[in-house]
Amino acid sequence: MQSRRNEESEFAPPSEPTLRIIMRRLRDIMAEPGDGQSRLDKIVRHVAGVMVAEVCSIYLKRQDGSLELFATEGLNQDAVHKTRLKRGEGLVGRCAEMKEPVNEADAPSHPAFSYRPETGEELYHSLLAVPILRSGELLGVLVIQNRTSREYSDEDVEVLQAMAMIVAEHLISGAVAGSSAAIELSKTLSHVIVGEPISEGIALGHAHLHEPRIVVTKLMADDPVAEMHRLTTALLGLRTSLDEMLRQEQLSGVGEHREVLEAFRMFAHDKGWERRLREAVESGLTAEAAIERVQNSTRARMLRQNDSYWRERQRDLDDLSDRLQRILAGQNSGLLGHAEMPHDMILIARNMGPAELLDYDRTRLRGVIVEDGSGTSHVAIVAKALGIAAVGQATGTVERVSAGDAVIVDAESGEVHLRPSAEVINAYSDKVRFRARRRQRYDALRDTPAVTKDGQKVSLHINAGLVVDMPHLHEAGADGVGLFRTELQFMLSHTFPRLTRQVQTYRQVLAEADGKPVVFRALDIGGDKVLPYLKQPQEENPALGWRAIRMSLDRPALFRTQIRAFLIAAAGRDLRFMVPMVTVAAEMDAVRRLVDKEMEILDSRRLELPRSIAIGAMFEVPSLLFELDSLMRRVDFLSVGSNDLSQFLFAADRTNPLVSKRFDPLSAPMLRALRSIVKAAERRRVPLTLCGELAGNPLTAMALIGIGFRSISMAPASIGPVKSMILSLDAGRVTALIEYLLKKPNPSIRAEFERFAEADSIEI
Ligand code: PEP
Ligand code: MG
């Protein structure tokens, strides 16, 4: 390898004038207009050219000491801002650690080489990395790579080091300051963070960082009696403000968010918490220090419990403690809607308790980003109830954003766009307008029955799990609730929901359904769905373990309470419930025996029974494919849980991203399995539906209709798109296509369906 300027001999020292020209060019690039990123992109291009290198990359140091790929010429552009090397990782990390050049003729065979498939760097053998230093402090690493395997000359090392010095100058003088160059620079660039949607919608607005915690500086009390008085007054203020907040009109509707917030309010009244706070003040601490001590010791205990339930409880406690600190500091404990907050606020937090969201003025709040919130977190439930677009698991947002930055929250894809370019903003504005128009179109279809062009009626149902989901049934114009996941109430509650609580919930669900059919699913707990208040054994393979009906039959008291709640709640109405994870048909006999027993008990107490009872099985385990007739004899209806059925059919864990998308359910094995279920149900005239993810996507729903399904259940938001598809579909033609494809040796079914949909102008 030799640099262009050194045409005579690769060992000759760099000629001073040529070097000066190169450096001047580099400085010119840095003075050119454009943002930090475009300048870095130009620098790598220029350095690659000068050094005759196929690859030139700049890695910058982040606050945590890791190195992030900030710009590259030659490696995959997709890896920029994605590839991160841990401190000391790989040859680049080694260069940063030693603050010395690393010059390797055959980098991939070096033991320290760290292979990152996303970069595509396996093609390049020689590697030269030099540290980007400023006053001895590491800012990043400048790297060149070539395909040929050879060591770079001393002169190359020298030139690259000189270039690294100029890059350092730029980093310090320009957008960059201090040692955490990457972070500072990143605060000026457009950036996309991919998290997970935890509610629905798209929001465009400006960043507001959720208030950082108050730092307690005074630990010991001067006057313990006065301190106790401050604590008592603050506790009173806290409880009153919470009562007021929860009376807000937007939250008055029934729904699971109420349970979350009620539990939160009860936590504020918790005697144990108050006692611990008082004891801490009695020990001589200020009220502020007492709150912090109790918070820390509880956190230590809760974090030892490694599950989401306790994490949520911890967040509740943090929320209460922060609130109490603010009251003690004399800060506003009411609505936060001050003038300095943007009118189109995107609220950003590492994590958040449920009530913290309610502190903000709803009229300004457009979106929420929580770095470690999941779909079942309490803040997500409240965001959904308020109809605010929210994304969780958006790691790195807080460190990359400044107050007032433009931000887009896409709670469809889970993407967060920080400081988006004008084109991205335009695209999203279009998307929001398009969504609004599409909504209007779907709303217009609300009362149109889902009938195919050749006259096949398809019943569309919604999947639900919380009372708050029920209004969607009518809004979407669905025919009923095809799957009500009862375990969600159990997972959100902090004690086992008693009979009366269960009855109340199921009654509410039936009342809100207003005569439309509802299929309750009996508890699907155990395995990975852990209830913290229920002792469960540790399992090697929870998805295949002691869960759902297996647990229910072994612990009949629990299951019988639920059956009793179903029977009482549905008094005088039609009761439909189904059993998850049925593996052998005979399990349904055991379920029926329990139902009969409960009916006898209620009857002997002269309680009104349901007008009709239909007991169904979920078809989720492939063993049932081999006793179809026996199963059909034992059930009143069947519902295919396609998520679990494909997980077990392909032996691919649906929660493991390495394999969950590896096998396409829209393929011959799954379609054949579904076809045999449809045929058996038709033979025995057993009502059949499907309630897994396959039903909610227009293309896969089209396949289901072709296979013969006439009833499917999906997320409420999917009803409109699936109905549009059905209205433009000729079911007979899809059936013929499937029969044809399943006779072919290796059909690429998804591609064929896509072609078919396009040719037939089907809305997918
Ligand atoms: C399924 O398995 O397809 C299903 C609907 O149930 P869940 O996703 O709750 O397991
Ligand atoms: Mg399932």
PDB file of all heavy atoms in Angstrom, residues 521 524 620 644 654, ligand 2:
ATOM      1  N   ARG A 521     -60.523 -16.123  27.069  1.00  0.00           N
ATOM      2  CA  ARG A 521     -59.553 -17.212  27.118  1.00  0.00           C
ATOM      3  C   ARG A 521     -59.203 -17.455  28.580  1.00  0.00           C
ATOM      4  O   ARG A 521     -58.837 -16.520  29.304  1.00  0.00           O
ATOM      5  CB  ARG A 521     -58.284 -16.849  26.370  1.00  0.00           C
ATOM      6  CG  ARG A 521     -57.287 -17.959  26.605  1.00  0.00           C
ATOM      7  CD  ARG A 521     -55.979 -17.873  25.996  1.00  0.00           C
ATOM      8  NE  ARG A 521     -55.168 -16.744  26.278  1.00  0.00           N
ATOM      9  CZ  ARG A 521     -54.159 -16.390  25.483  1.00  0.00           C
ATOM     10  NH1 ARG A 521     -53.949 -17.069  24.374  1.00  0.00           N
ATOM     11  NH2 ARG A 521     -53.409 -15.380  25.787  1.00  0.00           N
ATOM     12  N   ASP A 524     -53.825 -18.062  30.758  1.00  0.00           N
ATOM     13  CA  ASP A 524     -52.662 -18.607  30.047  1.00  0.00           C
ATOM     14  C   ASP A 524     -51.430 -18.125  30.810  1.00  0.00           C
ATOM     15  O   ASP A 524     -50.691 -17.279  30.338  1.00  0.00           O
ATOM     16  CB  ASP A 524     -52.649 -18.086  28.601  1.00  0.00           C
ATOM     17  CG  ASP A 524     -51.606 -18.794  27.744  1.00  0.00           C
ATOM     18  OD1 ASP A 524     -50.933 -19.704  28.259  1.00  0.00           O
ATOM     19  OD2 ASP A 524     -51.478 -18.443  26.556  1.00  0.00           O
ATOM     20  N   GLU A 620     -53.125 -24.857  19.416  1.00  0.00           N
ATOM     21  CA  GLU A 620     -51.797 -24.243  19.438  1.00  0.00           C
ATOM     22  C   GLU A 620     -50.679 -25.271  19.413  1.00  0.00           C
ATOM     23  O   GLU A 620     -49.520 -24.930  19.222  1.00  0.00           O
ATOM     24  CB  GLU A 620     -51.641 -23.401  20.712  1.00  0.00           C
ATOM     25  CG  GLU A 620     -52.676 -22.302  20.819  1.00  0.00           C
ATOM     26  CD  GLU A 620     -52.484 -21.416  22.036  1.00  0.00           C
ATOM     27  OE1 GLU A 620     -52.728 -21.910  23.161  1.00  0.00           O
ATOM     28  OE2 GLU A 620     -52.089 -20.268  21.871  1.00  0.00           O
ATOM     29  N   ASP A 644     -48.572 -19.528  18.622  1.00  0.00           N
ATOM     30  CA  ASP A 644     -47.992 -20.704  19.265  1.00  0.00           C
ATOM     31  C   ASP A 644     -47.939 -21.889  18.318  1.00  0.00           C
ATOM     32  O   ASP A 644     -46.987 -22.664  18.342  1.00  0.00           O
ATOM     33  CB  ASP A 644     -48.779 -21.067  20.538  1.00  0.00           C
ATOM     34  CG  ASP A 644     -48.283 -20.237  21.723  1.00  0.00           C
ATOM     35  OD1 ASP A 644     -47.056 -20.051  21.827  1.00  0.00           O
ATOM     36  OD2 ASP A 644     -49.110 -19.767  22.504  1.00  0.00           O
ATOM     37  N   ARG A 654     -40.797 -18.138  19.701  1.00  0.00           N
ATOM     38  CA  ARG A 654     -41.352 -16.889  19.164  1.00  0.00           C
ATOM     39  C   ARG A 654     -40.764 -15.659  19.840  1.00  0.00           C
ATOM     40  O   ARG A 654     -40.891 -14.551  19.347  1.00  0.00           O
ATOM     41  CB  ARG A 654     -42.886 -16.889  19.269  1.00  0.00           C
ATOM     42  CG  ARG A 654     -43.400 -16.937  20.685  1.00  0.00           C
ATOM     43  CD  ARG A 654     -44.889 -17.221  20.740  1.00  0.00           C
ATOM     44  NE  ARG A 654     -45.668 -16.023  20.977  1.00  0.00           N
ATOM     45  CZ  ARG A 654     -46.944 -16.028  21.334  1.00  0.00           C
ATOM     46  NH1 ARG A 654     -47.605 -17.180  21.467  1.00  0.00           N
ATOM     47  NH2 ARG A 654     -47.589 -14.919  21.536  1.00  0.00           N
TER      48      ARG A 654
HETATM   49 MG    MG B   2     -50.892 -18.730  22.484  1.00  0.00          MG
END
